[in-house]
């Protein structure tokens, strides 16, 4: 007996439906099984709580600095003296080893001027990631008596990278300036990082 397309048409469409339903059920089951694996990659509550922190800068006097931990990185917060502010402003960007302000979270390539590194009206405050851009060491210069190098900023004793008071690399093997984290002043005595 010869079968025609019309004779088996009902069977073909029912079979197609069963294949589609089985495939859809398997896909939903696989997604349901994979969701806990994907969801566990989200940061936990303790990590999210460190996404932004507030720093009270009241006790930091002119010429002093503090180091805080943010997202596992040391952050240098320094209250620059009037002389350090003027030296930072006077530096010619074309003389810098890295003429770009390294602003975390920004794709803009702004010149490494004091105005682009510090906040307007708060140019005496430097907030920078305290990690040398050469091999990830922590430069000296935060504490009284630390070596600061010829530019009065930071000095990486491991390989000799020298940064100025605004965290701009001036000499040594470091390829770029210290990163500037996203921050803002909230009031006169607090900085919000993140």
């Amino acid at each position: 007996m010869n079968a025609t397309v019309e004779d088996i048409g009902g069977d073909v469409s029912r079979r197609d439906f069963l294949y589609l339903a089985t495939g859809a059920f398997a896909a939903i089951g696989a997604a349901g099984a994979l969701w806990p694996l994907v969801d566990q990659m989200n940061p936990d509550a303790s990590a999210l709580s460190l996404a932004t922190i507030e720093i009270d800068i009241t006790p930091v006097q002119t010429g002093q600095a503090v180091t805080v931990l943010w997202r596992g990185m040391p952050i240098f917060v320094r209250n620059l003296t009037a002389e350090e502010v003027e030296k930072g402003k006077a530096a010619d960007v074309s003389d810098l080893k890295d003429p770009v302000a390294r602003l975390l979270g920004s794709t803009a390539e702004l010149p490494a001027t004091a105005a682009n590194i510090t906040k307007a009206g708060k140019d005496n405050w430097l907030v920078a990631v305290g990690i040398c851009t050469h091999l990830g060491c922590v430069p000296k210069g935060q504490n009284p008596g630390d070596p600061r190098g010829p530019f009065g900023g930071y000095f990486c004793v491991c390989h000799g990278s020298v940064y100025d008071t605004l965290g701009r690399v001036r000499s040594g093997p470091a390829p770029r300036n210290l990163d500037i984290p996203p921050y803002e002043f909230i009031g006169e005595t607090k900085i919000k990082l993140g």
Side-chain angles (χ1 to χ4, degrees), residues 1 4 36 81 93 134 141 160 165 193:
M1 171 172 161
T4 63
T81 64
V93 175
H134 178 231
T165 57
L193 276 174

Side-chain angles (χ1 to χ4, degrees), residues 114-129:
N116 290 331
I117 293 174
T118 61
K119 299 291 183 188
K122 302 284 188 179
D123 55 355
N124 62 309
W125 289 99
L126 172 69
V127 179
V129 176

